[in-house]
Amino acid sequence: MARAAAGPQGGGRLTDSVDEFTRELAATADGDRIAVRVMSDVLAGERRPSRVGPLLDAWGDRFAGAVRRGDHDDAASWMQILVDDVEWSEDLAPLVEGVLDRVTTPDLVEILVLDLQRDAVGGLDLLARWGRRLVPCFLDWIVVDDPPVSRKHVVDHLGVIARSDVGALLPHLQDDRWFVVRNFATAVGRSGSQEAVEPLTACLAHADDRVRVEAVRGIAALRGDAALTALVDALADDSERVRGAAISLLRAIRSDDVSTAIEAVIDERGVDAGDVRRLVSVIEDRGGPDADRVLERLAARRPVFGARKVARDAAREALERRA
Amino acid sequence: MSRPRDFLRHLHTAVQRLGYRPAGDPLVEDAIDDLFAVGRDLTAATGSAELAVSDPVALDGVVIEGAAIEYGGLLQTLRDRGVEVVTLVAPVERADVAAFALVVAGHGGAPGDTVRLDERGTERPVRASSLNRLVPEALGVLRRIAEDGVRLDVVADVAEPLAREAIADPDDAFVRAAALASGDDVAEHSTAVAVLSAVAGARIGVGRDRIGVLTTAALLHDVALLVEPDLLHRDHPVAGAGRILLAAGPGHEIAAAVALEHHVRPDGTGYPGIGRTPHPFSRIVAAADGFGHLVAGSDTRPPRAPGDALRVLGAAGEIDPAVLVAFRAAFGDRPAGSLLRLDGGEVALVASSSGTALVVSDAEGHRLSVPEPVDLRARTVVAELLPDEAGIDAAELPDLLG
């Protein structure tokens, strides 16, 4: 009998299920994120544009409200509905784009980035989900004299977006303004996406060396050891900044080929004498039998002049330090 | 844990231990010490405390939420021993508490002056039903939604007293709900579901502060069908939840969840398939809704008598077992309003889930001008009848019992 089963002398399983239900009731506070789940399911199931439109307006109110009160976790959950949870049909997609455009206002974005400066919980998740729609706003802040947050922060935020959607940033590598390209190249370099390698490689031909420096750094970050060739090529750049960046980045490459690649550059290319000492120190710092063999070969070169002489002397000094 | 609930808990422990240990055993004495301490606390402020072993269980007229389910076996034992009210009088004596536990455990005897059985000092929990007035009010609110739109505050205003009255008299609530559910009117069905959800919700532990939200949600669970009668049945959960999400008001998120999920099974399948366990309120409303549909029948399925509907409810695994327990505990195996063919051919109307009944028509099918009480324990029930089969209009049942 159900009545007995529910009581302490009744069967265990049903009593357990009642206890479990009671505990669940207590745990399901009214304040949890029921509305987000329901809105997600409703938008996934409702296909009538006449009904979806008002629901998206309600979504916009909820999202904006969450951002304004600094509940970025909640805002990220609301954003997730539109950008991740629901697959939009062709007739509904414009409605979704419309509401996303409406909520992407400078004042809301400013609230988020100011909170991010204070390490607000959930802010980065929201930033990533809001994604490409924030790019125009951040572009404006790169251009204006007095952005609400530092440009470093703006680039950091672009980097977060790049990690999930590098394609949103790539067109800006073609911008006419060198400083725009530099900042976007920095952000794109943090994307982790191989899709970004080719556009960054194209930036190595940019007229401004500050752009080329960021391109070299970005390629090194994206390609790891496979960036060796690009870094070696960058040693031939006219700009000391670019060459300096390339030499620093060579230190970070773990491949055994680094020492021999540097040896080849010194032998075969017209490397600046000032760079040679730093390149030899890269080999010295790597240590190990391969590096020692390269140092010994460089130290044994004769007759030598100019950069090769500098390399020989530096290699000898390195070997002496080792001895 | 509240002290009234502690009293039941320690009494349960003591009675259980007395079932397999002698009086004087240290474990038994420990349990009686605990029971005595709670009894002393309960009477400290007012000088006495009265536990009504009623439905729902109440201490000094205040319902102990969920106790009827949690301690259903103990309460049934008390009733079996003829105990309906336990009155504690300060200063409570430990020896009286121990004697009381022995009585409940079936060892016989009688407690002393400080623990009195069946001495009613205060009124039992509220029983006077205002459902006669509240049900039409609820129907009116629901029927106006098509023109006025969804107003959560308006629905909540009628839901809260409706729930209160239904919980106060589950038998009356059940009879009215079964009658309302027997037709195909959406507003009537929704009101029936609300009444049943309130009673079952209170049984399973929904607190007094949330029962109004549950009942509001239950009233609105089919809101899309109220507004768009031509909507495909499969689409009404999503459409209804959408309408509620657009309506401001207290508890609208939960009402939207219930509208969305009341056809979702506990495992997340059903429609719409949400892939997660529905909100507890949705599971309660799903049971009430399922009952309503069983009673009403459909084009492909004949209507079922209320008791029969309660028995088959959840047979396909579509209802949370815990909620089924609450339903059956709230309304009994032979719920009030059931029409029964007795072995002599008469038709009896069950007046309360505790088993009282009235013969309403004789073996020849003639209605009695004054129904006559009958002891069902002394008779054999041949069949449970639908109102039509008994020659009674379902809408007439509440008045017959009134």
Side-chain angles (χ1 to χ4, degrees):
Chain A
M1 301 290 283
R3 194 182 291 271
Q9 287 126 3
R13 280 183 55 196
L14 282 180
T15 308
D16 289 349
S17 75
V18 172
D19 289 346
E20 194 179 320
F21 190 95
T22 308
R23 279 195 298 275
E24 198 182 335
L25 258 182
T28 313
D30 292 351
D32 71 3
R33 294 189 167 153
I34 295 167
V36 173
R37 292 202 301 266
V38 175
M39 180 67 90
S40 179
D41 288 328
V42 169
L43 286 173
E46 181 60 81
R47 285 289 167 254
R48 296 172 293 178
S50 64
R51 301 299 307 158
V52 172
L55 285 167
L56 289 173
D57 289 340
W59 174 93
D61 292 344
R62 295 300 193 108
F63 174 76
V67 175
R68 288 211 163 86
R69 65 176 183 274
D71 189 346
H72 300 310
D73 258 345
D74 193 33
S77 301
W78 284 103
M79 183 58 80
Q80 183 181 338
I81 297 173
L82 260 56
V83 300
D84 292 325
D85 288 355
V86 180
E87 283 185 28
W88 299 103
S89 58
E90 275 183 24
D91 57 332
L92 296 179
L95 296 177
V96 176
E97 291 301 322
V99 74
L100 286 171
D101 286 346
R102 286 199 292 282
V103 297
T104 309
T105 61
D107 66 316
L108 282 185
V109 180
E110 191 172 325
I111 290 169
L112 171 62
V113 295
L114 290 173
D115 282 351
L116 277 168
Q117 272 188 315
R118 295 187 286 268
D119 294 329
V121 173
L124 285 176
D125 189 24
L126 173 58
L127 182 68
R129 291 186 192 282
W130 208 333
R132 63 167 54 221
R133 287 165 188 86
L134 297 176
V135 172
C137 187
F138 289 158
L139 174 60
D140 286 346
W141 291 349
I142 286 173
V143 173
V144 297
D145 288 336
D146 55 345
V149 291
S150 70
R151 287 198 182 80
K152 177 192 171 305
H153 278 106
V154 173
V155 174
D156 287 347
H157 300 337
L158 284 169
V160 171
I161 295 169
R163 281 203 285 275
S164 55
D165 186 8
V166 71
L169 276 64
L170 293 179
H172 298 283
L173 296 179
Q174 314 278 343
D175 198 285
D176 293 338
R177 295 159 292 191
W178 70 267
F179 56 94
V180 170
V181 180
R182 181 186 65 176
N183 285 318
F184 274 83
T186 305
V188 165
R190 297 174 187 168
S191 68
S193 166
Q194 296 306 304
E195 186 190 340
V197 172
E198 193 178 322
L200 281 176
T201 304
C203 287
L204 290 173
H206 198 280
D208 194 288
D209 64 349
R210 287 163 289 191
V211 171
R212 300 201 299 277
V213 166
E214 290 309 315
V216 167
R217 286 183 179 148
I219 291 166
L222 295 174
R223 301 215 68 201
D225 282 6
L228 178 58
T229 306
L231 295 178
V232 168
D233 288 348
L235 294 174
D237 196 286
D238 290 341
S239 163
E240 189 178 340
R241 274 186 191 149
V242 177
R243 296 196 308 274
I247 292 168
S248 297
L249 292 163
L250 279 170
R251 289 183 188 280
I253 291 188
R254 289 163 301 180
S255 164
D256 292 338
D257 297 337
V258 170
S259 300
T260 49
I262 290 173
E263 181 186 17
V265 167
I266 292 170
D267 276 347
E268 295 162 15
R269 298 187 192 176
V271 181
D272 179 89
D275 293 339
V276 168
R277 279 200 166 274
R278 295 171 63 198
L279 285 168
V280 172
S281 79
V282 171
I283 300 171
E284 180 187 359
D285 290 348
R286 294 180 68 79
D290 289 342
D292 287 352
R293 275 194 290 276
V294 172
L295 286 175
E296 284 161 5
R297 286 200 294 272
L298 287 172
R301 297 276 156 82
R302 68 182 64 189
V304 288
F305 307 97
R308 296 178 74 180
K309 180 175 183 301
V310 174
R312 185 193 66 183
D313 294 346
R316 285 178 177 174
E317 287 165 19
L319 288 169
E320 279 170 19
R321 278 193 291 276
R322 240 168 232 226
Chain B
M1 184 71 74
S2 69
R3 294 309 268 166
R5 195 181 295 276
D6 282 345
F7 184 81
L8 291 171
R9 183 161 60 92
H10 293 311
L11 177 59
H12 168 232
T13 305
V15 170
Q16 261 199 335
R17 289 178 182 173
L18 280 166
Y20 57 92
R21 291 172 187 277
D25 180 279
L27 282 176
V28 171
E29 293 304 301
D30 283 351
I32 288 172
D33 282 344
D34 291 338
L35 184 63
F36 168 57
V38 179
R40 207 176 39 196
D41 288 354
L42 289 174
T43 54
T46 57
S48 70
E50 183 184 281
L51 179 76
V53 188
S54 54
D55 188 1
V57 185
L59 189 94
D60 289 336
V62 177
V63 172
I64 308 173
E65 304 276 356
I69 287 179
E70 193 173 356
Y71 298 104
L74 172 69
L75 297 165
Q76 190 59 46
T77 302
L78 280 162
R79 285 190 283 264
D80 290 346
R81 308 241 181 275
V83 177
E84 290 187 1
V85 179
V86 180
T87 307
L88 306 174
V89 181
V92 174
E93 297 286 339
R94 189 187 180 284
D96 292 342
V97 171
F100 168 56
L102 285 166
V103 169
V104 181
H107 291 243
D113 280 347
T114 65
V115 181
R116 301 172 189 168
L117 305 183
D118 290 329
E119 286 193 12
R120 195 179 306 281
T122 58
E123 290 301 309
R124 292 182 63 135
V126 178
R127 284 295 182 202
S129 173
S130 300
L131 291 178
N132 267 336
R133 173 177 56 82
L134 291 168
V135 166
E137 276 183 27
L139 291 172
V141 165
L142 293 177
R143 286 177 177 140
R144 283 194 296 276
I145 282 179
E147 288 102 49
D148 297 351
V150 181
R151 290 270 311 274
L152 265 291
D153 52 345
V154 173
V155 179
D157 279 349
V158 72
E160 285 169 15
L162 188 72
R164 200 165 47 239
E165 294 303 325
I167 293 165
D169 193 341
D171 287 337
D172 184 36
F174 185 85
V175 174
R176 288 169 194 279
L180 285 165
S182 63
D184 56 4
D185 181 280
V186 176
E188 290 183 357
H189 164 79
S190 301
T191 305
V193 169
V195 164
L196 296 170
S197 298
V199 176
R203 270 291 176 148
I204 205 165
V206 177
R208 214 178 302 186
D209 55 329
R210 297 173 77 193
I211 213 81
V213 173
L214 167 64
T215 312
T216 301
L219 279 170
L220 290 173
H221 78 284
D222 274 346
V223 66
L225 296 174
L226 287 167
V227 181
E228 301 176 79
D230 298 332
L231 198 63
L232 284 176
H233 196 266
R234 215 175 168 75
D235 292 338
H236 82 275
V238 164
R243 285 189 180 276
I244 297 170
L245 279 178
L246 295 176
H252 83 288
E253 292 98 341
I254 293 197
V258 168
L260 179 77
E261 298 170 348
H262 70 276
H263 286 292
V264 178
R265 291 164 170 247
D267 64 1
T269 61
Y271 62 95
I274 58 172
R276 62 168 187 274
T277 303
H279 188 279
F281 285 8
S282 303
R283 283 177 269 159
I284 294 169
V285 172
D289 185 52
F291 172 82
H293 289 304
L294 286 169
V295 169
S298 68
D299 293 342
T300 57
R301 200 178 50 199
R304 286 182 182 271
D308 188 27
L310 272 184
R311 277 187 291 280
V312 301
L313 182 65
E318 75 279 20
I319 306 295
D320 188 314
V323 179
L324 280 178
V325 170
F327 258 75
R328 289 169 183 157
F331 304 117
D333 298 317
R334 206 162 261 156
S338 298
L339 291 161
L340 309 173
R341 174 84 66 199
L342 302 181
D343 46 357
E346 314 97 305
V347 173
L349 170 63
V350 178
S352 81
S353 54
S354 60
T356 58
L358 302 167
V359 172
V360 290
S361 62
D362 62 19
E364 283 74 43
H366 299 122
R367 289 282 292 276
L368 305 186
S369 54
V370 180
E372 294 171 3
V374 61
D375 184 356
L376 288 179
R377 286 172 299 187
R379 302 293 298 273
T380 301
V381 175
V382 176
E384 186 174 354
L385 306 175
L386 291 166
D388 284 351
E389 293 168 335
I392 292 175
D393 181 357
E396 195 188 341
L397 289 173
D399 293 336
L400 272 174
L401 289 169

